[in-house]
């Protein structure tokens, strides 16, 4: 065992007086009896009895004449032990109760620290403790050792009450503002709320109602009105005085008109305003229709029969019949079926519609058949987030002529549907906990470990796994403590000393002896039991072999060394440790005995040790048996540590009365995994387009509670889109303006008109418009100016002013690009249109207007010219912003528009060539002077005279510069550059041109 300072040992008992024998110089010397070994059994039964043994050995052989050594059997002794029958008593406990409020009168002396946490009070946990007998069950507590009685009460942290937390109710879904038909089902509105936190530990429970519905109040019922048509009046013919003079019109017959009254009735049948029926009952029935009063000579017929029925095939026809009546049956002309057909055949009306998909497929919509596609709130309860659903694709519906019609003609929902799947999230799956491992230390603090291993990885956004090791395992360790004296080394007796050397005839001297060593458990309830050697302290394995001496006859015999004397508590190398041995037999000769004492200094961690308490690190947070999160407890263990770092029995520190460190436990919290919580999907929005392609509907949801810990994360998709069914767009299409038409004359004021057509299209950029019934486009444009416009055709000698041009851009007066004024000017102009240029002087009226403006710019003006063509080119003025203008460029620097020869070509048959020199017409040869100019033209013999060409050329070269041309030069800007859009721009500098 460990050596401790002598003052820690209790006082030794008074020595007893026993007989002893001192060997003489020639006697055999035998050692003292060894201590009795540990009992082999802790109790006795029929099959096993406890025994223990002791031994002694021969230390010195006798000399001749001395006392002989005892026989070998006298060196061993054995006796019975633990003869009491095997009845075992032990403490047993029930599980701890749940934490409850402390009842007055129960004293708690436990020193537990809650680490300063905000708690909801300290309560107690209790358990029953009872004594059991191994063979017969529960017995009186007096039979079990009181020193190891488990505690029956311990403090605990009362769990905080948690009330249920819910959101406020959402807004009620809106009720329709438009009136509803009287026979429609009652319209309902709904609202919902979401649980944010469930109740716990007796807190206020969550409400049962999370979704509410109610009928909409005060929904207006559409008023019911209907048209009532009265009988048609008799057919009214053209007045008699009009018919007179017409051949064969002496009798009252022929085409006419008949009318009828149409009145508006309320739901109760009473009279109502016509405007009410126009609003609520649709278009008014016709008030007038054509009619026919047959003449004597006319062919009369029965009314047409109904058309025959049509089959489902679109390529069939239907027919109807009529027959002649009265005198017409006898008239030959009426028998002519080509003029008076009695059978009419027409193709069957066929409504064949074809659909075409439009836009992309929608996201996969879980909670929806076609009924859910309507606007409205989601259904009550928890909506499914994954699994089977549908995805939608909008359609456009067309009739046989290719006109766009309502999508409901092709599909009730306006969509193509196909099944789809939103993959469900799968959480990380781990195995159950393994059983706890044994404590890692056989002496002092250690850990017990259990583990889980990965069974299935998370996917599709499932709850993630905790941090795993390289073997895909997660571990949990809890501290444990093993008493250092529960396992110990047990040594057997040393064997007799085996002498070295075969040649030693005396069989004495130096030798070796051995003994058996085993690790045994010394637990009270098991007795002595051999256990694996690893459980005992490997640093303190006893020696199994040692040197020994069998003293030869007549030699001095000495005993084994005694124990070293103890070192002081504070190690000091100046203090010596001693041990001694005694002479057992004196020598026969004068040879001295070996030394009988030894000394060595007290050196720290060699033969002298100090002790202190040691605390382990904090363990992980330990929760209750079935808890996965919440409040728990963490612990750290106390151990006794020797100065060389070895952990030793706690008794060594307790004997020194050292101060124990505190605390050894504290409260802790393991955060709970919180799954992401989303609001329900909102209602689908209205379509972004009222008609046509490209419309989108969207619905969304929001994050109510973000994921925490190892909770399931929020999905990425918080909005869903789908295309709208393509509804036809109806709009009025304006035709081109007609020429100016003057009523009853050739000139003067008149009207320009254009047509208005109702067309259907899909609002796409490349949409094809097809004409449809005017009723589909609704009201006609109210302004007459949309369909007709005043105009005038100038009469001979009249002056006609055009409309004003647009205002020009704002311009400043600038010198060298710098402005000297803050206010600019802009202009507009108009022109006179006259049939005869000579009448221009008689026209009066303002041709130009100027007004001040702000934010003007400085511009530069440069003359531009085209390439020469037939000695003519175009010259125009261009502003520095690239716009071609009239005016602005100084006229004195304007380049020539017509190229003339200098000197002029006045010789007969000469003309100015492209190169700017005089040449001769075809059929003539030039005769040149020495200075390079033309002298005269000589006719080439054999060619005809070409005087007509001279006139043609002269006419071609004559510049066009009429008065009318000058007028229009003042206000029009000609688009000289190819493809450039015509722009009108008046510049005040253009006045210089007049």
């Amino acid at each position: 065992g460990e050596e401790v300072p002598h003052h820690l040992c209790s006082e030794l008992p008074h020595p007893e007086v026993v007989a002893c024998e001192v060997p003489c110089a020639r006697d055999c010397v035998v050692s003292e009896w060894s201590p009795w070994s540990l009992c082999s059994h802790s109790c006795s039964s029929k099959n096993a009895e406890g025994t223990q043994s002791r031994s002694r050995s021969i230390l010195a052989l006798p000399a001749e004449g001395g006392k002989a050594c005892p026989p070998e059997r006298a060196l061993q002794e054995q006796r019975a032990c633990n003869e009491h029958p095997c009845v075992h008593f032990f403490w047993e406990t029930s599980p701890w109760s749940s934490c409850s409020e402390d009842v007055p009168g129960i004293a708690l002396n436990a020193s537990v620290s809650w680490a300063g946490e905000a708690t909801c009070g300290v309560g107690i946990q209790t358990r029953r403790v009872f004594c059991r007998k191994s063979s017969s069950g529960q017995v009186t507590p007096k039979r079990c050792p009181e020193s190891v009685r488990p505690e029956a009460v311990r403090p605990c942290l009362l769990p905080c009450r948690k009330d249920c937390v819910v959101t406020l109710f959402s807004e009620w879904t809106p009720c329709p503002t438009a009136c509803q038909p009287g026979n429609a089902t009652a319209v309902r509105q709904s609202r919902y709320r979401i649980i944010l936190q469930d109740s716990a530990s007796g807190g206020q429970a969550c409400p049962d109602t999370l979704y509410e519905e109610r009928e909409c109040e005060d929904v207006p019922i559409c008023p019911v009105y209907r048209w009532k048509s009265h009988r048609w009046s008799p057919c009214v013919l053209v007045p008699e005085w009009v018919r007179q003079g017409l051949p064969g019109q002496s009798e009252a017959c022929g085409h006419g008109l008949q009318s009828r009254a149409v009145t508006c009735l309320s739901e109760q049948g009473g009279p109502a305003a016509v405007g009410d029926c126009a609003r609520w009952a649709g278009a008014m029935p016709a008030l007038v229709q054509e009619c026919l009063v047959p003449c004597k000579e006319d062919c009369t017929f029965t009314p047409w029969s109904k058309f025959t029925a049509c089959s489902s095939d679109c390529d069939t026809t239907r027919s109807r019949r009529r027959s002649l009546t009265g005198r017409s049956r006898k008239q030959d002309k009426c028998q002519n079926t080509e003029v008076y057909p009695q059978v009419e055949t027409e193709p069957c009306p066929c409504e064949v519609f074809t659909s075409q998909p439009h836009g992309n497929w929608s996201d996969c919509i879980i909670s929806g058949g076609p009924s859910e596609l309507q606007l409205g709130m989601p259904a009550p309860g928890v909506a499914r987030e994954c699994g089977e659903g549908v995805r939608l694709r909008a359609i456009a519906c067309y009739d046989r002529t290719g006109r766009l019609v309502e999508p409901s003609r092709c599909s009730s929902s306006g969509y193509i549907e196909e099944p789809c799947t939103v993959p469900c999230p799968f959480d990380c799956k781990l195995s159950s906990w393994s059983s706890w491992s044994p404590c890692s230390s056989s002496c002092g603090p250690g850990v017990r470990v259990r583990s889980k291993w990965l069974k299935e990885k998370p996917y599709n956004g499932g709850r993630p796994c905790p941090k795993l090791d390289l073997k895909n395992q997660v571990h949990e360790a809890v501290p444990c403590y093993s008493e250092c004296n529960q396992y110990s080394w047990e040594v057997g007796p040393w064997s007799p000393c085996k002498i070295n050397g075969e040649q030693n005839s005396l069989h004495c001297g130096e030798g070796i002896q051995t003994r058996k060593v085993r690790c045994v458990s010394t637990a009270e309830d098991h007795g002595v039991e051999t256990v694996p050697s690893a459980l005992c302290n490997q640093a303190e394995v006893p020696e199994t072999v040692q040197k020994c001496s069998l003293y030869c006859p007549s030699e001095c015999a000495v005993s084994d060394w005694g124990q070293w004397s103890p070192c002081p508590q504070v190690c000091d190398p100046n203090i010596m440790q001693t041990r001694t041995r005694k002479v057992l037999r004196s020598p026969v000769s004068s040879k001295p005995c070996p030394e009988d004492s030894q000394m060595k200094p007290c050196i720290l961690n060699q033969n002298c040790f100090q002790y202190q308490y040691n605390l382990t690190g904090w363990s992980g947070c330990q929760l209750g048996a079935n808890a996965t999160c919440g409040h728990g407890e963490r612990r750290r263990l106390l151990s006794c540590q020797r100065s060389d770092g070895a952990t030793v029995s706690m008794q060594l520190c307790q004997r020194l009365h050292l101060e124990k460190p505190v605390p050894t436990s504290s409260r802790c919290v393991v955060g709970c995994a919180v799954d992401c919580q989303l609001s329900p999907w909102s209602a689908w929005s209205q379509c972004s387009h009222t008609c046509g392609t490209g419309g989108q509907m969207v619905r969304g949801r929001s994050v109510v509670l973000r994921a925490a810990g190892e909770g399931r994360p929020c999905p990425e998709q918080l909005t869903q889109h789908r295309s709208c069914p393509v509804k036809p767009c109806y709009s009025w299409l304006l035709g081109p303006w007609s020429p100016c038409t003057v009523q009853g004359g050739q000139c003067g004021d008149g009207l320009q008109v254009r047509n208005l057509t109702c067309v259907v299209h899909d609002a796409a950029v490349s949409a094809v418009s097809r004409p449809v019934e005017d009723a589909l486009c609704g009201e006609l444009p109210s302004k007459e100016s949309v369909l007709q416009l005043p105009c005038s055709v100038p009469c001979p000698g009249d002056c006609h002013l055009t409309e004003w041009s647009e205002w020009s851009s704002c311009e400043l007066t600038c010198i060298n690009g710098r402005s000297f004024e803050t206010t600019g000017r802009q202009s507009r102009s108009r022109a006179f249109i006259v049939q005869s240029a000579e009448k221009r002087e008689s026209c009066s009226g303002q041709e130009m207007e100027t007004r001040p403006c702000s934010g003007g710019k400085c511009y530069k003006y440069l003359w531009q010219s085209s390439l020469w063509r037939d000695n003519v080119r175009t010259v125009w003025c261009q502003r520095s912003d690239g716009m071609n203008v009239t005016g602005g460029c100084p006229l004195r620097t304007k380049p020539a528009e017509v190229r003339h020869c200098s000197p002029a070509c006045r010789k007969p048959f000469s003309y100015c060539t492209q190169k700017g020199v005089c040449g001769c017409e075809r059929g003539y040869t030039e005769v040149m002077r020495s200075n390079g100019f033309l002298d005269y033209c000589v006719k080439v013999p054999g060619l005809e005279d070409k005087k007509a060409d001279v006139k043609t050329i002269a006419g071609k070269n004559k510049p066009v510069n009429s008065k009318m041309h000058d007028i229009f030069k003042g206000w029009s800007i000609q688009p000289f550059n190819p493809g450039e859009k015509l722009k009108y721009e008046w510049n005040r500098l253009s006045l210089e041109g007049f």
Side-chain angles (χ1 to χ4, degrees):
E2 294 285 338
E3 295 177 11
V4 297
H6 60 83
H7 69 272
L8 295 177
C9 295
S10 57
E11 201 173 306
L12 293 172
H14 294 290
E16 298 179 20
V17 179
V18 293
C20 60
E21 188 178 347
V22 178
C24 295
R26 294 177 177 277
D27 292 347
C28 175
V29 180
V30 182
S31 69
E32 297 290 329
W33 285 105
S34 68
W36 288 104
S37 68
L38 295 171
C39 196
S40 60
H41 291 82
S42 58
C43 58
S44 295
S45 65
K46 292 179 182 179
N47 302 324
E49 291 184 349
T51 58
Q52 55 186 165
S53 61
R54 66 177 184 172
S55 62
R56 58 181 180 170
S57 60
I58 297 169
L59 298 178
L61 296 176
E64 191 177 342
K67 186 178 179 179
C69 290
E72 189 170 340
R73 67 178 179 276
L75 299 175
Q76 302 281 337
E77 277 188 356
Q78 199 165 14
R79 71 180 182 185
C81 59
N82 288 346
E83 295 176 85
H84 59 274
C86 292
V87 178
H88 179 44
F89 298 96
F90 58 92
W91 293 108
E92 198 168 77
T93 60
S94 67
W96 287 106
S97 69
S98 58
C99 196
S100 59
E101 293 184 11
D102 194 355
V103 180
I106 297 181
L108 285 176
N109 295 324
S111 57
V112 178
S113 165
W114 306 112
E117 292 177 11
T119 66
C120 294
V122 178
I124 59 164
Q125 286 176 286
T126 58
R127 64 179 175 181
R128 290 186 300 119
V129 177
F130 43 89
C131 182
R132 283 181 65 92
K133 183 180 178 181
S134 58
S135 56
S136 60
Q138 192 168 335
V139 295
T140 174
K142 294 180 182 177
R143 308 292 292 274
C144 287
E146 189 65 31
S147 61
V148 291
R149 181 182 182 125
E151 61 179 0
V153 181
R154 73 176 183 184
C156 58
L157 191 67
L158 285 169
C160 293
R161 274 182 37 155
K162 277 189 180 178
D163 293 338
C164 176
V165 180
V166 293
T167 62
L168 296 174
F169 270 109
S170 65
E171 295 288 329
W172 286 103
T173 54
C175 286
T177 52
C179 67
Q180 302 295 305
N183 58 355
T185 55
V187 183
R188 301 180 70 82
Q189 58 180 167
S190 61
R191 64 178 184 173
Y192 66 92
R193 56 182 171 182
I194 298 168
I195 296 174
L196 297 179
Q197 174 182 285
D198 282 315
S199 62
S201 306
Q204 184 178 345
C206 288
D208 295 330
T209 307
L210 297 176
Y211 181 85
E212 288 183 344
E213 270 192 344
R214 69 181 184 190
E215 284 191 12
C216 286
E217 296 179 356
D218 303 326
V219 176
I221 303 297
C222 295
V224 178
Y225 294 95
R226 60 189 175 86
W227 293 108
K228 182 181 179 182
S229 301
H230 299 267
R231 293 183 63 180
W232 288 106
S233 68
C235 193
V236 177
L237 301 175
V238 178
E240 187 176 350
W241 63 271
V242 175
R243 282 187 284 116
Q244 284 178 353
L246 293 175
Q249 291 298 329
S250 58
E251 58 177 318
C253 62
H255 289 279
L257 293 175
Q258 60 185 160
S259 61
R260 64 176 175 183
V262 175
T263 54
C264 179
L265 299 180
S266 67
E267 189 174 6
Q268 292 75 27
V274 173
D276 292 332
C277 278
R279 181 177 179 189
W280 301 107
M284 177 187 283
L287 294 172
V288 179
Q289 70 175 11
E290 289 187 7
C291 56
L292 177 70
V293 175
C295 300
K296 291 177 182 178
E297 298 297 320
D298 287 348
C299 298
T300 57
F301 296 87
T302 60
W304 284 105
S305 69
K306 290 185 177 179
F307 277 105
T308 55
C310 281
S311 67
S312 58
D313 188 1
C314 272
D315 294 329
T316 57
T317 58
R318 64 179 184 175
S319 60
R320 64 178 182 173
R321 294 178 177 274
R322 66 179 178 176
S323 55
L324 292 166
T325 60
R327 286 180 295 180
S328 300
R329 286 180 293 189
K330 296 179 180 178
Q331 293 185 26
D332 291 338
K333 70 170 185 177
C334 296
Q335 303 293 336
N336 186 351
T337 55
E338 288 186 7
V339 180
Y340 302 104
Q342 296 184 31
V343 178
E344 263 187 1
T345 304
E346 67 178 19
C348 280
C350 182
E351 288 197 338
V352 176
F353 301 103
T354 54
S355 64
Q356 287 184 7
H358 260 268
N360 298 324
W361 284 101
S362 73
D363 300 309
C364 195
I365 300 166
I366 291 296
S367 53
S371 62
E372 199 272 331
L373 303 180
Q374 308 305 319
L375 295 176
M377 285 301 298
V382 179
R384 286 190 303 123
E385 291 291 338
C386 62
E388 296 298 319
V390 292
R391 63 177 192 155
L392 310 172
R393 195 174 184 190
I395 61 166
C397 189
Y398 299 92
D399 65 10
R400 290 184 77 182
T401 64
R403 292 188 304 184
L404 190 64
V405 295
E406 286 293 330
S408 56
R409 297 287 188 94
C410 291
S411 160
S412 59
S413 66
Y415 289 98
I416 308 168
E417 292 184 19
E418 71 174 25
C420 59
T421 303
V422 174
C424 290
F426 282 86
D427 297 338
C428 174
K429 287 187 181 175
L430 300 175
S431 67
S432 301
W433 285 111
S434 66
S435 54
W436 288 105
S437 69
C439 194
S440 62
S441 170
S442 59
C443 171
V447 288
R448 292 193 301 145
V449 180
R450 64 177 181 172
S451 58
K452 290 180 179 182
W453 57 91
L454 179 65
K455 292 179 73 175
E456 202 170 326
K457 289 183 177 180
Y459 53 95
N460 295 335
R463 185 177 283 193
C465 292
K467 192 173 183 181
L468 303 172
D469 64 9
L470 293 175
K471 294 181 179 179
N472 281 338
Q473 290 183 338
V474 60
H475 302 278
E476 185 180 28
V478 294
C480 56
Y481 188 88
S482 300
E483 288 295 336
C484 290
N485 55 4
Q486 63 178 327
Y487 303 107
S488 62
W489 295 108
E490 185 189 72
V491 294
W494 287 107
S495 67
C497 195
K498 184 178 180 182
I499 304 303
N500 298 328
E502 299 279 335
Q503 296 79 19
N504 191 337
S505 57
L506 293 176
H507 300 289
C508 62
E510 294 286 328
I512 289 176
Q513 61 184 162
T514 59
R515 64 179 174 181
K516 291 182 178 178
V517 173
R518 65 176 180 152
C519 183
V520 294
S521 168
T522 55
E524 293 179 13
D525 53 350
H526 294 299
V528 178
E529 182 183 347
T530 302
V531 293
S533 296
L535 295 174
C536 288
N537 189 346
Q538 300 301 309
E540 297 175 358
V541 182
E543 297 289 343
T544 55
V545 179
Q546 72 174 8
K547 289 181 180 180
C548 58
S549 294
L550 182 58
Y551 295 107
C552 293
S554 307
E555 273 188 325
C556 178
V558 293
S559 68
D560 289 334
W561 287 107
Q563 296 290 331
W564 286 101
S565 64
C567 283
Q569 186 175 349
V570 179
C571 298
D572 185 355
N574 296 319
I575 297 176
M576 306 302 285
Q577 198 178 17
T578 62
R579 67 176 179 174
T580 59
R581 59 184 174 180
K582 59 185 177 179
V583 176
L584 301 175
R585 184 183 74 180
S586 300
V588 175
S589 64
S590 58
K591 187 178 178 181
C593 287
E595 62 176 347
D596 61 354
S597 67
Q598 286 183 339
M599 298 176 69
K600 62 180 180 181
C602 288
I603 298 174
L604 182 65
N605 296 338
Q606 286 186 8
N607 56 349
C608 177
F609 298 95
Q610 292 177 352
Y611 302 89
Q612 65 178 21
Y613 282 115
N614 183 54
L615 274 174
T616 63
W618 286 108
S619 70
C621 198
Q622 303 301 307
L623 303 170
N626 298 318
T628 57
C629 65
H631 287 277
E633 185 181 34
R634 58 179 187 162
R635 293 188 293 145
R636 53 184 180 178
L637 298 179
L638 200 60
S639 63
C640 186
Q641 194 173 43
R642 206 165 62 182
S643 53
D644 63 349
T647 301
V648 293
S649 172
M650 289 286 286
Q651 294 173 352
L652 293 171
C653 285
Q654 289 166 358
R655 287 172 187 166
L656 294 170
H657 301 290
L658 300 175
E659 185 180 354
K660 288 185 180 180
V662 288
T664 56
S665 69
S666 76
R667 297 299 285 180
C668 55
V669 177
V670 174
C672 294
V674 177
D675 289 343
C676 172
Q677 283 193 27
L678 300 173
S679 70
W681 285 107
S682 68
W684 285 103
S685 70
Q686 297 285 352
C687 188
S688 59
H689 294 30
T690 54
C691 66
T693 59
Q696 289 281 311
M697 297 166 74
V698 65
R699 68 174 185 173
R701 55 184 175 176
S702 57
V703 176
V704 177
L705 194 62
R706 296 216 164 266
E710 292 166 7
R712 183 177 291 175
C714 294
E716 291 181 3
Q717 190 188 48
L718 295 178
T719 56
Q720 285 187 333
H721 296 80
R722 72 178 198 222
S723 299
C724 310
V726 182
K727 291 188 175 183
C729 294
Y730 300 107
S731 57
W732 292 108
L733 183 68
L734 289 165
W737 288 109
S738 69
C740 192
T741 306
V742 180
Q743 284 291 109
Q746 299 293 319
C747 64
D749 291 333
L751 278 178
Q752 281 181 294
V753 294
R754 55 181 175 180
N755 293 328
L756 201 59
T757 311
C758 181
V759 294
V760 62
H761 55 89
D762 62 7
V765 175
S766 57
V768 176
S769 299
R770 295 177 181 272
V772 290
E773 300 82 21
D774 287 355
L776 295 171
C777 284
E779 293 184 10
L780 287 164
S782 57
K783 291 184 179 178
E784 288 188 1
S785 60
V786 174
L787 297 178
Q788 58 185 30
L789 200 64
C791 61
S792 64
V793 176
C795 296
D798 285 353
C799 288
H800 178 68
L801 275 171
T802 63
E803 292 296 318
W804 285 108
S805 67
E806 296 292 326
W807 286 103
S808 69
S809 58
C810 196
E811 185 172 6
L812 298 172
T813 304
C814 303
I815 300 173
N816 295 331
R818 293 179 62 193
S819 170
F820 293 90
E821 57 185 359
T822 55
T823 305
R825 274 161 298 282
Q826 57 186 162
S827 313
R828 65 176 182 172
S829 60
R830 57 184 178 177
F832 289 103
I833 298 175
V834 291
Q835 287 195 343
S836 172
E838 287 75 16
K839 301 284 187 179
R840 169 70 179 85
E841 300 300 331
S842 62
C843 295
S844 63
Q846 192 177 4
E847 294 181 89
M848 186 189 69
E849 277 185 352
T850 343
R851 70 179 182 188
C853 56
S854 59
K857 292 182 180 178
C858 289
Y859 294 109
K860 290 182 180 178
Y861 296 86
L862 291 173
W863 289 109
Q864 305 288 332
S865 59
S866 65
L867 296 174
W868 288 105
R869 186 176 180 84
D870 293 335
N871 288 321
V872 177
R873 65 177 176 182
T874 307
V875 176
W876 70 95
C877 183
Q878 190 175 69
R879 205 167 64 182
S880 54
D881 61 350
M883 179 172 281
N884 299 330
V885 296
T886 301
C889 296
L891 290 177
R892 62 181 177 275
T893 60
K894 181 177 180 181
E897 294 178 278
V898 180
R899 187 162 51 185
H900 301 282
C901 289
S902 180
C905 304
R906 294 193 175 89
K907 302 289 184 182
F909 312 112
S910 66
Y911 73 100
C912 192
T913 65
Q914 286 283 92
K915 295 180 182 178
V917 295
C918 295
C920 295
E921 296 176 11
R922 186 180 173 193
Y924 292 86
T925 302
E926 294 91 358
V927 178
M928 310 302 290
R929 294 182 190 169
S930 58
N931 59 3
F933 291 115
L934 178 69
D935 192 6
Y936 57 90
C937 295
V938 177
K939 183 175 183 181
V940 178
L943 288 178
E944 294 180 2
D945 183 58
K946 296 287 183 181
K947 287 187 178 178
D949 288 346
V950 179
K951 293 177 184 175
T952 305
I953 292 165
K956 200 181 289 183
N957 290 345
K958 184 180 179 183
V960 181
N961 193 13
S962 67
K963 193 98 174 180
M964 195 71 176
H965 182 70
D966 289 340
I967 294 170
F968 281 95
K969 263 175 51 175
W971 65 274
S972 66
I973 297 173
Q974 301 175 25
F976 296 118
N977 297 338
E980 183 177 342
K981 189 176 179 182
L982 181 64
K983 298 176 184 176
Y984 291 87
E985 182 79 18
W986 177 266
N987 190 287
R988 62 187 184 80
L989 295 177
S990 63
L991 290 172
E992 298 174 9
F994 290 97

